[in-house]
C-alpha cells in the first residue's frame, strides 16, 4: 500500500518538484571556472536537510561533496545514489535561446545548464526519498547520497573521498543516473564504462629542421621514426601488438554476449550519425567493439611543413597524441608500463609522455548481478517497457571508485531524454522524463528492499558478503 501512496504523492507534487529543480538550475555551479560551486553545494545540503535527510557539505582539496543519508536500519540493505551538482561552462552564450541560468519551460522541457546533466537526475533520487518520508514512514532501505561538485572537471577528489569515508559510505549497491535514455525514449541500464589512457609520443631528430637534399640520408626523420613505431603497436585490423596488452581483458560472458544481440542497431542510420554511408559489421560486433573491447586510437599527428608551396625539410620533431580505451580488468598503470616497455625495445629514441588529466579506469558490473534484474523489473513497472541493458558504455566515467574504493557494484540508470543537449547550448530536461525518474527511483527503493528481504541480493564485499 505504501508504494502506491508514494507514487500518488509524487504525482500530486509535480509542480513543487519542478520549482525545486528550477531553483537548483538557476544557481550556476561551473567547476571548470570555480563559479558558484560552493554556494550551490550549501544550497543542496540545506535542501536535503529541509526534506529530513541528514546532510552536510564535505570539503575536499578541490570542490566539496554534498553527502546525505537516511539510515533506517544500520545493518540493512543500503543504496548509495551518486550524482553531480556541478555543470559544464555554458559558453557560447549567444547560441542559447534563453539564458543558461534562467531556467525556462518550452515544449514540455526545462531549458537551462545542468537541467539534465545532472541536477534533474540527482534531484529525482532526492524527491523520491522525500516522497517516501512524507507519504510512508520513510524509504524501505537505507539511502546514502553522494553529490559531487567536479564531475565535469574529471572528479579529481572522488576516489580519495570514497577511500577516506569508506566506512561511512558503506553500501551494497551504487546507483547512478546520468546521461540519456534511448533515442526512442525507451529506458536503459548501463553496467559500466571503458577506461582511458592519454599518451603523447615524441620523436626528436636533429635540434632543427634540415635541408632534405643536403642532409637527406644523414639526419634522422622523426615522422618515419613514429610511423615505424606505430606500425609495431597496431596492425592494420586494429589489433594491438604490445606484448601482454590483452592479458587482463575480462572475457565476454555468455550473458553479455546475449545482450549484445538485443541492442538496437541499424548500419545505415548509425553510420549516418557518424558521417559514414554505412557500417560494414553486424550489431553484436558493433556493440562489442564499442563496449567490451579495448581500442588504440591516434588523435593527432603533428610534424613538418604542410603550408602553401613546398618546404624541403627533414623535420626536427614529430608528436603523436594517442588515447587508449581500456576495458575491465585492464588498468591504465599496467598498460602504460607495457607501452613504455614496448617503445623502449623497438625505438628508445621515442619519448612516452603521460597526459595525466582525464585518465580513467574501466569498470563493469556483471549483467547476471541479481540487482540488474530487480532494477530492470522496477523500471518496467513504472515505464511499462523493459530497459535496454548495455553491458558498458563506450565512453569513460569515474565509476571504478565504487568497486575499487568502496567494494560496491554500480548500476547506471539514466533519466534524461536522449536529446538533452548536455554540454551544449540549450541543455534541457523533458518534464515527463524528470517525473518518470522520481517514480523510477521510488520504485527501485521498494524493489531492492523486497529482493534484499528475499535474500537474493549480494551484500557489500567489505562486510564479507558474496559479491562479484
Ligand atoms: Zn556532463
Amino acid at each position: 500500500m505504501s508504494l502506491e501512496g508514494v507514487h500518488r504523492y509524487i504525482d500530486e507534487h509535480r509542480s513543487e518538484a519542478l520549482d525545486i529543480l528550477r531553483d537548483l538550475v538557476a544557481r550556476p555551479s561551473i567547476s571548470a571556472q570555480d563559479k558558484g560551486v560552493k554556494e550551490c553545494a550549501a544550497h543542496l545540503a540545506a535542501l536535503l536537510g529541509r526534506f529530513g535527510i541528514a546532510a552536510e557539505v564535505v570539503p575536499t582539496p578541490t570542490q566539496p561533496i554534498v553527502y546525505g543519508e537516511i539510515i533506517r536500519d544500520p545493518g540493512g540493505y543500503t543504496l548509495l545514489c551518486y550524482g553531480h551538482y556541478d555543470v559544464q561552462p555554458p559558453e557560447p552564450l549567444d547560441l542559447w535561446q534563453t539564458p543558461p541560468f534562467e531556467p525556462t519551460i518550452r515544449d514540455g522541457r526545462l531549458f537551462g545548464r545542468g537541467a539534465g546533466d545532472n541536477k534533474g537526475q540527482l534531484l529525482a533520487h532526492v524527491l523520491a526519498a522525500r516522497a517516501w518520508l512524507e507519504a510512508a514512514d520513510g524509504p524501505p532501505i537505507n539511502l546514502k547520497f553522494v553529490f559531487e561538485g567536479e564531475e565535469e572537471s574529471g572528479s579529481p577528489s572522488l576516489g580519495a573521498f570514497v577511500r577516506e569515508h569508506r566506512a561511512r559510505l558503506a553500501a551494497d549497491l551504487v546507483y547512478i543516473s546520468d546521461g540519456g535514455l534511448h533515442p526512442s525514449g525507451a529506458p536503459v541500464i548501463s553496467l559500466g564504462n571503458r577506461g582511458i589512457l592519454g599518451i603523447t609520443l615524441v620523436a626528436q631528430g636533429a635540434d632543427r629542421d634540415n635541408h632534405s637534399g643536403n642532409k637527406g640520408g644523414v639526419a634522422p626523420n622523426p615522422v618515419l621514426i613514429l610511423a615505424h613505431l606505430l606500425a609495431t603497436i597496431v596492425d592494420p585490423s586494429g589489433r594491438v601488438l604490445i606484448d601482454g596488452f590483452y592479458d587482463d581483458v575480462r572475457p565476454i560472458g555468455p550473458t553479455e554476449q546475449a545482450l549484445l544481440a538485443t541492442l538496437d542497431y541499424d548500419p545505415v542510420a548509425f553510420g549516418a550519425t557518424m558521417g559514414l554511408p554505412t557500417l560494414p559489421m553486424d550489431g553484436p560486433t558493433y556493440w562489442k567493439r564499442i563496449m567490451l573491447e579495448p581500442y588504440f586510437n591516434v588523435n593527432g599527428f603533428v610534424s613538418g611543413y604542410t603550408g602553401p608551396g613546398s618546404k624541403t625539410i627533414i623535420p626536427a620533431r614529430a608528436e603523436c597524441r594517442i588515447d587508449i580505451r581500456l576495458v575491465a580488468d585492464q588498468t591504465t598503470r599496467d598498460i602504460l608500463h607495457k607501452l613504455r616497455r614496448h617503445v623502449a625495445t623497438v625505438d628508445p629514441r621515442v619519448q612516452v609522455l603521460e597526459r595525466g588529466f582525464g585518465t580513467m579506469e574501466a569498470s563493469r558490473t556483471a549483467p547476471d548481478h541479481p540487482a540488474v534484474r530487480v532494477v530492470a523489473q522496477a523500471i518496467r513497472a513504472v515505464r511499462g517497457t523493459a530497459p535496454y541493458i548495455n553491458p558498458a558504455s563506450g565512453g569513460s566515467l569515474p565509476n571504478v571508485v565504487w568497486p575499487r574504493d568502496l567494494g560496491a557494484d554500480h548500476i547506471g540508470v539514466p533519466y534524461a531524454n536522449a536529446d538533452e543537449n548536455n554540454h551544449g547550448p540549450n541543455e534541457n530536461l523533458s518534464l515527463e522524463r524528470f517525473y518518470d525518474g522520481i517514480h523510477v527511483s521510488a520504485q527501485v527503493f521498494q524493489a531492492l528492499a523486497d529482493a534484499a528481504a528475499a535474500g537474493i541480493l549480494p551484500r557489500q564485499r567489505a562486510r564479507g558478503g558474496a559479491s562479484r
Side-chain angles (χ1 to χ4, degrees), residues 111-133:
F111 285 81
R113 172 56 88 227
D117 185 10
N118 178 246
K119 289 172 172 173
Q121 304 204 48
L122 72 85
L123 260 189
H125 311 315
V126 172
L127 292 169
R130 184 201 188 197
W132 271 103
L133 288 165

Side-chain angles (χ1 to χ4, degrees), residues 283-294:
T285 305
Y286 173 89
W287 289 116
K288 181 178 65 171
R289 288 189 187 169
I290 287 178
M291 295 174 166
L292 303 177
E293 290 182 350

Side-chain angles (χ1 to χ4, degrees), residues 76-98:
Y77 191 83
T78 302
L79 181 70
L80 187 155
C81 298
Y82 162 85
H84 65 91
Y85 65 88
D86 66 317
V87 302
Q88 285 273 323
E91 288 81 7
L93 297 175
D94 55 324
L95 293 184
W96 286 78
Q97 284 188 47
T98 46

Side-chain angles (χ1 to χ4, degrees), residues 34-174:
D34 193 16
K35 224 183 244 176
V37 182
K38 290 170 181 74
E39 292 83 349
C40 187
H43 168 79
L44 185 56
L47 183 71
L48 266 60
R50 273 207 300 287
F51 294 162
I53 302 168
E56 65 178 288
V57 175
V58 184
T60 78
T62 43
Q63 298 294 356
I65 285 172
V66 175
Y67 177 72
E69 61 180 27
I70 305 172
I71 304 298
R72 303 297 310 282
D73 165 11
Y77 191 83
T78 302
L79 181 70
L80 187 155
C81 298
Y82 162 85
H84 65 91
Y85 65 88
D86 66 317
V87 302
Q88 285 273 323
E91 288 81 7
L93 297 175
D94 55 324
L95 293 184
W96 286 78
Q97 284 188 47
T98 46
F101 298 111
E102 291 174 26
T104 308
I105 294 166
R106 291 193 300 276
D107 312 323
R109 298 167 183 233
L110 183 74
F111 285 81
R113 172 56 88 227
D117 185 10
N118 178 246
K119 289 172 172 173
Q121 304 204 48
L122 72 85
L123 260 189
H125 311 315
V126 172
L127 292 169
R130 184 201 188 197
W132 271 103
L133 288 165
E134 294 293 325
D137 60 352
I141 51 175
N142 299 321
L143 293 175
K144 297 182 178 178
F145 302 96
V146 171
F147 298 143
E148 196 195 345
E150 50 193 349
E151 191 269 353
E152 303 292 9
S153 297
S155 302
S157 297
L158 183 63
F161 169 83
V162 171
R163 286 191 292 277
E164 189 183 335
H165 299 276
R166 186 183 164 103
R168 192 178 186 199
L169 301 180
D172 297 298
L173 185 69
V174 175

Side-chain angles (χ1 to χ4, degrees), residues 24-36:
L24 191 58
V25 174
R27 295 163 192 271
S29 48
I30 310 164
S31 55
Q33 302 167 352
D34 193 16
K35 224 183 244 176

